[in-house]
Amino acid sequence: MTIYIGNLSYDATQDNIKEVFAEYGTVKKAHVPTDRETGRPRGFAFIDMGLDSEEEKAIAELDGAEWMGRTLKVNKARPRGN
DNA sequence: GTTGAGCGTT
C-alpha cells in the first residue's frame, strides 16, 4: 500500500517526509513529484511503508496534523494513472 | 497550492 500526503508544504523534501513517517514504521520509499514543466514541487507526496499496519497508523496519526506550517492530508494513495 | 513516470504515436 502507498500513502498519499496532500496539502504538503513546498519546503518539504523527500527526506523530511521520510523522517516523519519513519516515526511510525519503516519507510521503504518516499516520492515527491515535481511539476514536469516547471520543476516546482506540486505540494503532495507518496510514501511506501514496510507494513500495512504501520501505514494505517501513520495515516491515523498524521492526517490533519500540522507540519511545516501546513495541515497535512494523509490518505491511502490511488493507483497511478487514475 | 490535493493522487506519482516516461516513452514516444499502438
Side-chain angles (χ1 to χ4, degrees):
Chain A
M1 189 173 94
T2 304
I3 303 172
Y4 162 82
I5 307 124
N7 198 44
L8 190 65
S9 170
Y10 286 164
D11 292 325
T13 69
Q14 184 181 91
D15 286 333
N16 277 327
I17 297 161
K18 196 186 292 186
E19 276 183 52
V20 173
F21 279 79
E23 296 181 46
Y24 303 97
T26 302
V27 177
K28 293 202 311 183
K29 246 66 178 173
H31 186 211
V32 182
T34 51
D35 191 296
R36 202 161 164 276
E37 311 282 296
T38 67
R40 120 192 311 199
R42 296 187 60 183
F44 62 93
F46 293 93
I47 288 283
D48 247 317
M49 306 275 290
L51 270 46
D52 279 6
S53 59
E54 292 175 340
E55 298 188 325
E56 299 284 358
K57 189 168 55 178
I59 291 170
E61 296 296 321
L62 294 173
D63 184 37
E66 185 182 294
W67 189 61
M68 293 185 81
R70 307 291 310 179
T71 300
L72 300 181
K73 303 288 179 83
V74 186
N75 215 90
K76 280 179 33 185
R78 300 173 181 163
R80 268 190 306 185
N82 288 358

